[in-house]
Amino acid sequence: MTDGPTRDAFLPVAAQPSVDTLVAYAQEAEELGYDRAWIPETWGRDAVTTLTAIAERTDSIGIGTSIANVYSRSPALIGQTAATLQEVSEGRLRVGLGPSGPAVVEGWHGADYDRPLRRTRETIDIARLVLSGERVEYDGDIFQLSGLRLRCDPPDTLPGIDAAGMGPKSVELAGRFADGWHALMLTREGLRDRLADLKRGADLGDRSVSDLRVTLSLPCIALDDRERARQLARNHLAFYVGAMGTFYREALERQGYEDEAVEIASEWANGDHEASMAAVSDELLDDLGIAGTPAECRERYAEWEAIDGVDAVSVSVPRGADPDEISATMRALAPE
């Protein structure tokens, strides 16, 4: 862990005008002093091509996937890709992996959402073997590989491989097998509970939790128009709970918001998105992120950074924000 949390930029998950737009966000984040630019991968632009463009047109900011799912690429290809991105970025890569969910894996990629935790573990194992440059010999429950090694030179510095997770078992897996954990959709108290799961996983793997990096993706929108900021945050939360499978709803239920989670998901499923957004209370909104004026967002951001065990807090702007609102939020919450 670092001496104090770094401040990262989580590039927008929603569609943007162009790859150049995403590169411009990363360049702005670099100028503002953010430590790393993370990019998600859903059903828009792929993360690898976009990160390559960012790496070529920035100088110092770290880059990373948050997250690349473990179904749409083979574990060996993930290892090859990590080696290549580490070369292109001159050592600035960190890899975030996870199973995503059925909406993406089955609905977009046409793959069976089978054994997500086991697949994540084996993917981490194999990607590490590929990155080592040694011959890959692996006899897993899902993958059996033998006979080949990376054809190019392996990276001088191996990129860290983090696992994403919201539930106890997935976070335990991160602690036991990955180099770090990507946290999301968590209240401060929920985050502390999952940090206990991370430590349990580290103990099971005979590792020190202090050697693992914890990155929190925190929904943030800081605008002079406070009501606009909070409406964007409500829309973002309702979409994820209502449209992206059961994982986000279950995460809220575990954290004491069962009735609201069910209502948000039910209204969205019924096609009443306005009612779904209205079901997001102010309390829930403020428990899961920060939305409001720049001054109040800066104050509340510091509360999240103060949580013991968190190494980086990513400024993650809601999906409906336009480019000016994204830039305004990054500027408002830039490292001092």
Side-chain angles (χ1 to χ4, degrees):
M1 292 185 180
T2 57
D3 292 335
T6 62
R7 200 166 294 199
D8 295 350
F10 191 98
L11 300 185
V13 67
Q16 297 300 305
S18 66
V19 171
D20 285 346
T21 306
L22 289 161
V23 172
Y25 294 144
Q27 290 172 327
E28 183 173 19
E30 182 174 73
E31 292 170 4
L32 290 169
Y34 285 92
D35 188 68
R36 187 173 302 274
W38 297 99
I39 191 163
E41 186 177 71
T42 54
W43 51 91
R45 294 183 179 90
D46 78 278
V48 176
T49 306
T50 307
L51 284 176
T52 301
I54 290 170
E56 291 284 356
R57 292 160 61 184
T58 56
D59 298 315
S60 59
I61 193 168
I63 60 171
T65 57
S66 183
I67 61 164
N69 80 75
V70 296
Y71 291 89
S72 58
R73 298 178 179 89
S74 73
L77 180 56
I78 288 172
Q80 290 173 257
T81 302
T84 307
L85 280 173
Q86 186 73 326
E87 178 183 354
V88 169
S89 68
E90 298 182 328
R92 290 184 276 149
L93 176 69
R94 197 166 182 95
V95 181
L97 298 177
S100 186
V104 172
V105 172
E106 297 179 350
W108 183 246
H109 294 290
D112 292 332
Y113 193 73
D114 179 55
R115 305 178 70 184
L117 295 182
R118 184 70 200 187
R119 181 175 285 264
T120 300
R121 176 194 166 168
E122 293 194 12
T123 297
I124 292 169
D125 290 343
I126 293 167
R128 278 207 186 107
L129 284 172
V130 171
L131 285 163
S132 74
E134 300 298 321
R135 188 175 301 278
V136 176
E137 301 286 346
Y138 192 81
D139 185 16
D141 291 350
I142 298 174
F143 298 101
Q144 295 81 42
L145 307 176
S146 179
L148 298 176
R149 61 162 52 92
L150 191 66
R151 206 168 197 174
C152 57
D153 291 336
D156 291 332
T157 302
L158 299 183
I161 301 177
D162 301 334
M166 292 181 286
K169 289 298 182 183
S170 60
V171 178
E172 181 183 296
L173 180 146
R176 190 171 182 181
F177 300 108
D179 298 313
W181 168 47
H182 280 232
L184 68 161
M185 193 66 78
L186 292 167
T187 67
R188 289 192 292 277
E189 188 58 39
L191 178 60
R192 293 184 181 99
D193 289 342
R194 296 290 79 79
L195 285 167
D197 298 324
L198 187 74
K199 184 181 186 306
R200 183 173 62 253
D203 291 343
L204 288 169
D206 196 23
R207 313 165 76 199
S208 172
V209 73
S210 64
D211 293 332
L212 305 178
R213 184 168 184 80
V214 174
T215 300
L216 171 66
S217 176
L218 182 67
C220 300
I221 183 73
L223 304 175
D224 292 331
D225 185 342
R226 186 176 191 274
E227 288 311 308
R228 166 68 177 169
R230 294 183 73 78
Q231 189 74 353
L232 284 168
R234 278 194 168 84
N235 174 274
H236 184 84
L237 179 57
F239 172 80
Y240 272 89
V241 174
M244 292 299 289
T246 62
F247 302 101
Y248 298 95
R249 189 192 74 216
E250 291 168 354
L252 293 190
E253 291 172 351
R254 278 191 298 269
Q255 298 173 88
Y257 284 102
E258 182 174 0
D259 291 343
E260 283 183 71
V262 171
E263 184 178 0
I264 293 165
S266 297
E267 294 291 2
W268 194 279
N270 291 334
D272 193 340
H273 296 176
E274 290 298 322
S276 179
M277 291 166 58
V280 179
S281 67
D282 284 334
E283 180 186 6
L284 175 57
L285 198 66
D286 291 333
D287 265 0
L288 289 175
I290 56 177
T293 64
E296 69 180 302
C297 285
R298 281 191 290 268
E299 181 178 347
R300 296 203 57 241
Y301 191 96
E303 297 172 1
W304 289 89
E305 285 188 312
I307 296 174
D308 187 41
V310 175
D311 297 286
V313 181
S314 293
V315 173
S316 178
V317 181
R319 57 189 286 272
D322 65 31
D324 287 342
E325 291 166 335
I326 293 166
S327 292
T329 298
M330 289 203 309
R331 290 194 303 272
L333 296 174
E336 295 178 356

